[in-house]
Amino acid sequence: MLLRLRAAATMLEGDSLKNIRVYWIAFVVYWGIFLFGYDGGIAGGVVSQPYFETYFGLVGTNGTVDKAKDAEVSSNVVSVLQAGAFFGALGSARISAWLGRRWTLVAFTLVFSVGAVLATVAGGSRGIGYIYGGRVVSGIGIGGISAVAPAYVSECSPKNVRGRITGLFQIMVALGGMVSYFVNLGVGLHLADSTMVWRVPFELQLVPAGLMCLGLLTVKESPRWLASKGRVREAIGNLAYFRKEQPDSPVLQLEMAEIEAAIQEEQEARKGLGVREAFFGDGNFIRFVIAFAIFVLQQWSGQNSVSNYSPQIFTSIGFTGTMNSLLASGIYGVVKVLATTVFIFLFVESLGRKISLLISAVGMGAIFFIVGAVLKAHPVDNIQAGQQPPPASKAMAAMLYIYVCFYSMGWGPLPWVYVSDIFPTRTRHYGLAVASGTQWLFNFVVAKVTPTLVAGLGYKLFFMFGAINIGGMFTFSLFLPETKGRSLEEMDIIFGAVSFEVRETFIERHKRELQHNIQVSALERSADQKV
């Protein structure tokens, strides 16, 4: 382990200098992904605050919470974000194809900010409908960001670090979730008896949104998108900028030749591309099936139920009382951030995508079966609010912390990395939109039904998730092709869209054309200097 850490440190030192501009793009763009995690985690804590429940009429005349009404409002506040995000993700495909990755992200960030303001001002004459409406509008923004951001970062990243840089997506999701838990905890401790219990958490969203908007003004457009629009000179300039190479560098020439070869053969084979051809062209349909299935399984892995309703989940295993459940949630967020960071920087490029998904699925499934068995053997129905959790509850919490480590080493970050890997430039915006739309659609479904499942299934809920992890996710992973270390342009060969021989012919032709153009430009500059 020590040798691995030293090797990683040495690799990252050299890599960070060479690819510092790519890391900067990821840092800027992934503030939007931070919002993804923050928005997912904040609502469950907000609706569990006693003042929120009293203010919005969730407490009955007898002074106790109306559990049916509370579950309905909780599921609505959490899930309407995902409903909006579904439409934002699907609508992002054509917008990013027309407007470019960079300005599309600016537009969706502004949409998100409008929603954040609406949710913040709820209260007084503006009832809970403002929170619902604001969450829907914010969801549209988040959905668009979640679809476009991975494509943008992936298209700007060199293949040797693409998995790590794209995997920063999940680190920012985890970081956003962690911050949301501690914001709820802080509000519960210091602002518990005012409208600040929802206004502070919702208005804080505007900070990362503002940072992202300002940061996007400092970055350049995707070279692959520029090349797909015929703006080759700009594409070469931006690629040289990202790689810190001269435009006439042989390494840069080869990468640009690969990009142009892939784009040209796609354009020649799919002129007049429509939605039908995008989904059913050679080698495409299976990629969309993978993108759909991998995110359906991810959403039903149990993580979103634990993350979106963390206080409620920890209450169900014996951490009663608002502060106990929020503190346990905060620790869960910290473990998730640390585990995701360690995996992304030390293991994602060494273990590979497939083996990581397999190990992750088995580990998560085993943990859920253990938690379900312990909860069945040690029910928590008689624990009073605020009482110190019994040893069995602490053991189950520890198992959930181990669970999120397994999630973070595979099924958390890798679906985004894998889907970003497999689509060609011409259809990548469709692929990422379908993946993100699927993610948000089933995120919505899981968010909507989780309060009902927690109340109705008890310990059986954990058995259900365990069966999905091992029976579904492990089996699915067995059939996935490995994409580690492959360029985006090589994916067409893996999925049978083009043969190796045809691709090599295209690359050689474009290398010769680039070399010819560089020589002509050099001769022209020499002639101008003589004049």
Side-chain angles (χ1 to χ4, degrees):
M1 184 64 180
L2 183 59
L3 290 176
R4 184 181 289 276
L5 287 170
R6 287 175 178 170
T10 303
M11 177 182 63
L12 286 172
E13 183 179 1
D15 167 60
S16 61
L17 294 175
K18 186 69 175 176
N19 296 306
I20 186 68
R21 291 164 179 164
V22 178
Y23 279 111
W24 173 249
I25 280 186
F27 174 77
V28 167
V29 170
Y30 283 170
W31 276 115
I33 306 309
F34 175 92
L35 290 170
F36 178 172
Y38 183 90
D39 251 30
I42 201 68
V46 166
V47 298
S48 71
Q49 298 280 4
Y51 187 85
F52 181 95
E53 294 172 331
T54 302
Y55 190 94
F56 289 108
L58 305 183
V59 178
T61 55
N62 59 358
T64 61
V65 175
D66 184 332
K67 291 187 177 180
K69 192 173 182 180
D70 184 59
E72 180 185 358
V73 171
S74 296
S75 67
N76 287 340
V77 171
V78 174
S79 65
V80 291
L81 177 90
Q82 285 85 348
F86 171 73
F87 292 103
L90 292 184
S92 68
R94 290 190 178 276
I95 297 173
S96 67
W98 167 63
L99 196 59
R101 317 307 191 209
R102 180 184 175 216
W103 289 110
T104 298
L105 287 171
V106 170
F108 276 116
T109 304
L110 294 176
V111 170
F112 170 85
S113 300
V114 171
V117 171
L118 288 174
T120 299
V121 301
S125 61
R126 297 176 295 274
I128 198 169
Y130 272 73
I131 293 180
Y132 292 160
R135 295 276 290 172
V136 171
V137 174
S138 290
I140 293 171
I142 284 290
I145 291 169
S146 71
V148 178
Y152 184 29
V153 173
S154 181
E155 289 174 1
C156 295
S157 302
K159 63 183 179 182
N160 62 312
V161 295
R162 192 177 66 247
R164 184 182 307 117
I165 292 177
T166 308
L168 290 172
F169 183 108
Q170 194 63 29
I171 293 177
M172 294 303 284
V173 172
L175 187 62
M178 182 193 75
V179 171
S180 75
Y181 299 147
F182 282 105
V183 167
N184 278 329
L185 178 61
V187 167
L189 289 172
H190 303 292
L191 300 169
D193 297 320
S194 73
T195 58
M196 294 298 105
V197 296
W198 69 84
R199 286 181 173 163
V200 168
F202 288 143
E203 71 186 5
L204 283 177
Q205 299 171 111
L206 295 170
V207 176
L211 290 173
M212 181 175 173
C213 259
L214 292 174
L216 283 167
L217 301 178
T218 70
V219 299
K220 293 181 180 291
E221 184 55 83
S222 160
R224 285 181 171 84
W225 180 81
L226 289 169
S228 72
K229 295 298 180 180
R231 296 158 62 177
V232 178
R233 188 178 296 275
E234 288 180 68
I236 294 173
N238 284 10
L239 189 63
Y241 173 81
F242 290 135
R243 301 294 182 266
K244 300 184 76 171
E245 296 276 1
Q246 292 300 315
D248 58 355
S249 160
V251 174
L252 194 78
Q253 286 181 47
L254 176 60
E255 185 172 0
M256 194 65 214
E258 289 180 340
I259 292 171
E260 286 201 277
I263 291 171
Q264 184 171 332
E265 68 190 25
E266 288 162 9
Q267 290 175 341
E268 290 180 356
R270 302 168 188 170
K271 286 180 180 178
L273 177 73
V275 174
R276 181 182 176 86
E277 290 183 57
F279 282 83
F280 296 103
D282 288 344
N284 278 357
F285 182 69
I286 186 60
R287 300 188 228 205
F288 283 100
V289 170
I290 289 173
F292 175 81
I294 202 170
F295 279 102
V296 170
L297 290 169
Q298 186 203 48
Q299 296 313 298
W300 283 103
S301 68
Q303 158 57 22
N304 277 347
S305 293
V306 178
S307 180
N308 291 340
Y309 295 97
S310 191
Q312 292 87 336
I313 292 292
F314 279 100
T315 298
S316 76
I317 62 171
F319 284 77
T320 56
T322 304
M323 291 304 102
N324 277 343
S325 61
L326 287 176
L327 181 58
S329 301
I331 296 171
Y332 180 88
V334 172
V335 173
K336 184 178 178 182
V337 170
L338 293 176
T340 304
T341 303
V342 168
F343 173 71
I344 293 299
F345 283 100
L346 297 183
F347 297 105
V348 69
E349 295 295 351
S350 57
L351 282 179
R353 317 315 190 217
K354 184 170 182 173
I355 189 67
S356 297
L357 290 171
L358 289 168
I359 296 172
S360 176
V362 171
M364 290 190 296
I367 292 295
F368 272 134
F369 278 118
I370 293 171
V371 172
V374 173
L375 186 56
K376 182 181 180 182
H378 300 275
V380 297
D381 299 334
N382 297 323
I383 300 176
Q384 300 299 313
Q387 179 182 332
Q388 183 71 10
S393 295
K394 293 179 180 179
M396 286 185 281
M399 296 308 293
L400 287 179
Y401 298 151
I402 297 172
Y403 156 81
V404 82
C405 292
F406 279 110
Y407 175 82
S408 300
M409 72 165 291
W411 278 90
L414 286 184
W416 290 106
V417 175
Y418 197 88
V419 171
S420 296
D421 281 347
I422 63 177
F423 283 97
T425 304
R426 187 163 169 80
T427 59
R428 185 170 297 115
H429 54 290
Y430 285 110
L432 269 294
V434 167
S436 190
T438 302
Q439 187 266 339
W440 284 115
L441 175 61
F442 285 90
N443 197 326
F444 165 75
V445 172
V446 172
K448 186 66 178 171
V449 303
T450 291
T452 304
L453 293 176
V454 171
L457 293 181
Y459 71 87
K460 296 175 186 176
L461 176 67
F462 298 102
F463 287 157
M464 181 190 81
F465 286 135
I468 292 172
N469 277 275
I470 294 177
M473 297 160 69
F474 177 81
T475 304
F476 175 78
S477 302
L478 289 173
F479 296 97
L480 292 177
E482 180 59 74
T483 63
K484 185 189 88 171
R486 303 294 188 95
S487 70
L488 295 177
E489 287 65 41
E490 288 176 301
M491 296 303 157
D492 282 344
I493 300 172
I494 292 175
F495 288 98
V498 65
S499 68
F500 176 79
E501 292 76 15
V502 171
R503 173 54 57 81
E504 286 298 302
T505 301
F506 268 90
I507 291 174
E508 287 302 319
R509 189 173 78 192
H510 280 278
K511 281 175 66 176
R512 289 194 297 270
E513 289 177 359
L514 278 173
Q515 289 169 352
H516 174 73
N517 291 337
I518 290 169
Q519 290 171 357
V520 169
S521 298
L523 289 172
E524 289 176 350
R525 287 196 301 269
S526 177
D528 290 341
Q529 289 172 357
K530 289 179 181 179
V531 172

